[in-house]
Amino acid sequence: MQGGGHAVCLGPDIDTDLIIAGRYLRTKDHGIWVSHVFEDLDPSLAARMNGAVIVAGKNFGCGSSREQAALALKEAGVTAVIAPSFARIFFRNAINVGLPAIECSLPCVEGQNVKFDLAAGCVETGGNTYSIRPLSPRMRDILAAGGLIRYWRGRP
Amino acid sequence: MSTLSERILGADAGEYVDRKVDRAYVHDGTGVLTLETWKQMGNRLSDDPDLYVLFDHIVPANNSTTATLQHELRDFACGSFMHFSDIGGGICHQLMSEGVVLPGEVVVGADSHSCTPGAFGAFATGVGATDMAAIWLTGETWFRVPDSIGISLTGSLQGSAEAKDLALLYVSRLGMDGGTYCALEFIGDGVKNLGMDDRLTLCNLSVETGAKTGMFYADHITLQYLAGKGQKVQPQVPDSCMYSRELEFDLSDIVPLIAVPPRVDTVKPVSDLAGIPIDQVFVGACTNGRFSDLARLAGILKGKNVAVRTIVVPASRAVLSEAIRTGVIADLVAAGCTIGTPGCGPCLGAHMGVLGEGEVCLSTANRNFRNRMGVGGEIYLSSVATAGASALTGEITEPEVG
Ligand code: SF4
């Protein structure tokens, strides 16, 4: 799976409450999250999410196990999250909803184009290539299918 | 030379593996979402793992919305070949620990404290509802084999110190993300001085460091406990292996501790907090609701009267039965305690013991996050001995050595 987008730089320890606040969870209308994503961190971020690659610090997605955090980013048009490490339940949830969570340390320049290639195991930005902690073939397949529901739906 | 996780998952730390799951369980909370997602995925049930639906979170149902959701899940579970435990059976992690989970198994629960039965030398961890739905469908899931942190123990607990105090201590040392991606392995000479209940408490809190699981190697204590439940198993002998980090504790040095709201890793000696008034004591949860906990509490309260409302919730029906048979429940009731339906009780703030604005609870559970037991309420976490001593005075009180 390949993709890319403009970098949005964030710090370490971004928790799931900051990604999507608890007050917006109780809804079946996923579209509502698009305008509220990262609201408590920086309300201006939501407008920059479509087509973004989030480049964050360590332990991204810590806190509660809400699957809505990964879903909200995907709904908002984020193409991937890149961080040196993720909270493990967020990491699983992200893959399961079809949002690439890529473990990699790279310098972030706001707005700069970032490209990723999961099969090749690398990320490219600012003319440099960085290797990522590889995903298993199964995880790449789940991502390529657009998430775990679609991955399994219709399989014999 | 492998860690226990590497041995069970059959690959080196850092590698991704697809693994068949031996047992998978959901509760009335996560089961509803799992069922919904599973229906979208394919509507077939793998007959490979043992699948469990265990009602514990909001039992009995607190309102008709909950009751309706439970009704649907109950109907589904009873109409399938899943194992089902209805209200009053007990907390999912406890039920899995009463002779169900065995050493060497891969066990997955749709709840973050599914690390608890790692105490039997199983690889036991929590997942979200979507992961669980796929396990229902296929019987397997993917893992990244974790690095392991060694928690090396020597000595034996002294005075009124409990395994819970050690649990709070290691959480404070590692911090709330110090164990992320890792498994905690409890090793060293001191483990032979910890009973099965102690080990379950220690593994239970591993997730409070972000860890994937906590585990003990199955030894003669494990074997004896499981033999008592009709299970015959082999011990696991530790290899010498590489830990990404090692922490050492002398059990003899442990003193009664408390986690101060709203973080589990903010831990202080009880003596520093003595005198803080409390409104409620809760003894129970998957952390400290076992028979040994209730018996210890009864030993402290017997023949006396509690000074604040004290809610005791046995972790399972088996625990409740044992506590009735041995007179523990009679002593607790005589001392003024309220006994709840076996299950999670007030731990998650859904019902039965919710706190009011400005109220303070001393709890033996594992999380003291803001508003968890009720909006505006504060939660201090302690051992059973500290909870018992404090119930008698109405303020945080150091347990007597005895
Ligand atoms: S007792 Fe509390 S921590 Fe344990 S499973 Fe129930 S709600 Fe979760």
Side-chain angles (χ1 to χ4, degrees):
Chain A
M1 186 182 183
Q2 299 176 334
H6 59 276
V8 172
C9 309
L10 299 177
D13 297 312
I14 303 291
D15 66 54
T16 49
D17 268 281
L18 290 177
I19 298 171
I20 187 74
R23 58 186 174 277
Y24 299 120
L25 295 184
R26 264 166 249 276
T27 175
K28 286 197 168 163
D29 175 12
H30 298 186
I32 198 171
W33 297 330
V34 175
S35 52
H36 296 296
V37 72
F38 290 122
E39 188 169 284
D40 291 356
L41 183 65
D42 174 357
S44 74
L45 279 171
R48 283 186 277 150
M49 285 298 117
N50 199 18
V53 170
I54 292 176
V55 180
K58 71 165 177 73
N59 200 28
F60 186 87
C62 59
S64 87
S65 67
R66 65 186 62 152
E67 248 171 56
Q68 292 94 330
L71 269 175
L73 295 179
K74 192 170 156 76
E75 288 285 335
V78 172
T79 59
V81 185
I82 301 177
S85 66
F86 291 87
R88 63 166 284 270
I89 296 189
F90 177 87
F91 185 77
R92 290 191 80 103
N93 290 346
I95 305 284
N96 287 344
V97 304
L99 173 70
I102 300 171
E103 285 177 289
C104 177
S105 299
L106 80 166
C108 186
V109 179
E110 192 74 35
Q112 193 171 62
N113 195 43
V114 181
K115 287 199 285 190
F116 60 86
D117 183 336
L118 298 181
C122 63
V123 171
E124 208 185 295
T125 190
N128 293 313
T129 304
Y130 303 84
S131 66
I132 66 179
R133 182 156 15 185
L135 297 175
S136 72
R138 163 78 70 93
M139 290 160 71
R140 292 205 302 267
D141 289 349
I142 295 170
L143 285 172
L148 202 54
I149 293 181
R150 281 193 222 147
Y151 176 83
W152 284 115
R153 187 188 287 159
R155 280 183 185 244
Chain B
M1 299 293 113
S2 311
T3 63
L4 190 48
S5 302
E6 290 173 326
R7 209 187 292 180
I8 296 173
L9 295 176
D12 290 339
E15 285 182 32
Y16 289 98
V17 293
D18 290 323
R19 263 305 249 121
K20 267 182 54 187
V21 171
D22 295 300
R23 301 176 197 285
Y25 61 103
V26 300
H27 53 65
D28 49 306
T30 52
V32 170
L33 265 174
T34 304
L35 180 56
E36 227 181 270
T37 311
W38 171 78
K39 281 179 179 164
Q40 293 177 49
M41 268 184 195
N43 234 354
R44 275 177 297 109
L45 268 191
S46 167
D47 53 9
D48 222 356
D50 276 32
L51 301 176
Y52 300 79
V53 176
L54 311 166
F55 278 21
D56 59 3
H57 267 54
I58 304 187
V59 295
N62 60 339
N63 60 35
S64 39
T65 311
T66 310
T68 306
L69 291 172
Q70 291 189 359
H71 176 73
E72 192 192 340
L73 184 58
R74 182 185 289 110
D75 270 4
F76 167 77
C78 293
S80 73
F81 51 78
M82 291 191 181
H83 303 269
F84 177 64
S85 166
D86 211 330
I87 62 160
I91 305 171
C92 54
H93 313 303
Q94 174 64 17
L95 293 174
M96 299 310 285
S97 304
E98 293 181 348
V100 176
V101 170
L102 303 176
E105 290 185 341
V106 175
V107 178
V108 174
D111 185 274
S112 60
H113 290 101
S114 305
C115 48
T116 311
F120 295 100
F123 186 84
T125 190
V127 295
T130 305
D131 269 326
M132 184 54 77
I135 292 168
W136 282 11
L137 192 76
T138 66
E140 56 178 60
T141 193
W142 59 269
F143 296 103
R144 183 165 66 194
V145 183
D147 284 318
S148 295
I149 296 176
I151 310 256
S152 178
L153 307 175
T154 53
S156 58
L157 292 165
Q158 304 295 324
S160 52
E162 290 176 24
K164 177 62 167 289
D165 298 306
L166 169 60
L168 295 175
L169 184 61
Y170 86 67
V171 172
S172 75
R173 285 280 168 81
L174 282 170
M176 279 170 69
D177 72 340
T180 301
Y181 291 155
C182 295
L184 309 185
E185 283 197 6
F186 296 89
I187 49 167
D189 256 10
V191 299
K192 66 175 190 303
N193 300 321
L194 294 169
M196 228 33 252
D197 288 4
D198 297 331
R199 296 176 184 194
L200 287 161
T201 302
L202 285 163
C203 289
N204 181 263
L205 273 103
S206 57
V207 69
E208 306 312 328
T209 69
K212 199 172 275 194
T213 189
M215 20 191 9
F216 280 81
Y217 287 80
D219 61 5
H220 69 281
I221 293 171
T222 323
L223 266 56
Q224 201 178 8
Y225 175 98
L226 288 172
K229 314 269 181 214
Q231 301 279 16
K232 204 170 143 21
V233 297
Q234 296 300 315
Q236 296 161 322
V237 182
D239 284 347
S240 62
C241 61
M242 281 297 289
Y243 291 114
S244 61
R245 194 174 162 189
E246 206 164 326
L247 270 62
E248 290 178 10
F249 296 97
D250 184 343
L251 295 172
S252 324
D253 293 341
I254 307 282
V255 297
L257 297 170
I258 283 190
V260 178
R263 288 178 68 100
V264 191
D265 61 356
T266 315
V267 171
K268 296 188 174 156
V270 177
S271 50
D272 283 12
L273 302 163
I276 294 177
I278 53 178
D279 302 286
Q280 174 172 303
V281 170
F282 166 47
V283 174
C286 50
T287 323
N288 280 114
R290 285 173 270 278
F291 175 72
S292 56
D293 298 310
L294 270 53
R296 190 176 307 118
L297 181 69
I300 296 165
L301 301 184
K302 186 172 180 163
K304 301 177 180 156
N305 284 306
V306 294
V308 284
R309 61 180 199 264
T310 301
I311 302 172
V312 180
V313 181
S316 72
R317 180 174 285 124
V319 168
L320 175 60
S321 303
E322 178 79 350
I324 290 172
R325 195 178 60 74
T326 51
V328 161
I329 292 291
D331 290 341
L332 293 174
V333 170
C337 299
T338 298
I339 311 295
T341 307
C344 301
C347 177
L348 69 155
H351 70 154
M352 289 210 306
V354 175
L355 300 178
E357 181 83 39
E359 284 197 312
V360 174
C361 180
L362 183 61
S363 162
T364 65
N366 45 33
R367 282 190 179 143
N368 56 355
F369 303 160
R370 188 164 282 128
N371 299 339
R372 177 169 170 95
M373 285 179 69
V375 176
E378 289 202 318
I379 310 161
Y380 290 82
L381 302 175
S382 80
S383 70
V384 173
T386 302
S390 306
L392 289 173
T393 58
E395 54 185 45
I396 290 179
T397 303
E398 252 197 297
E400 278 173 36
V401 176

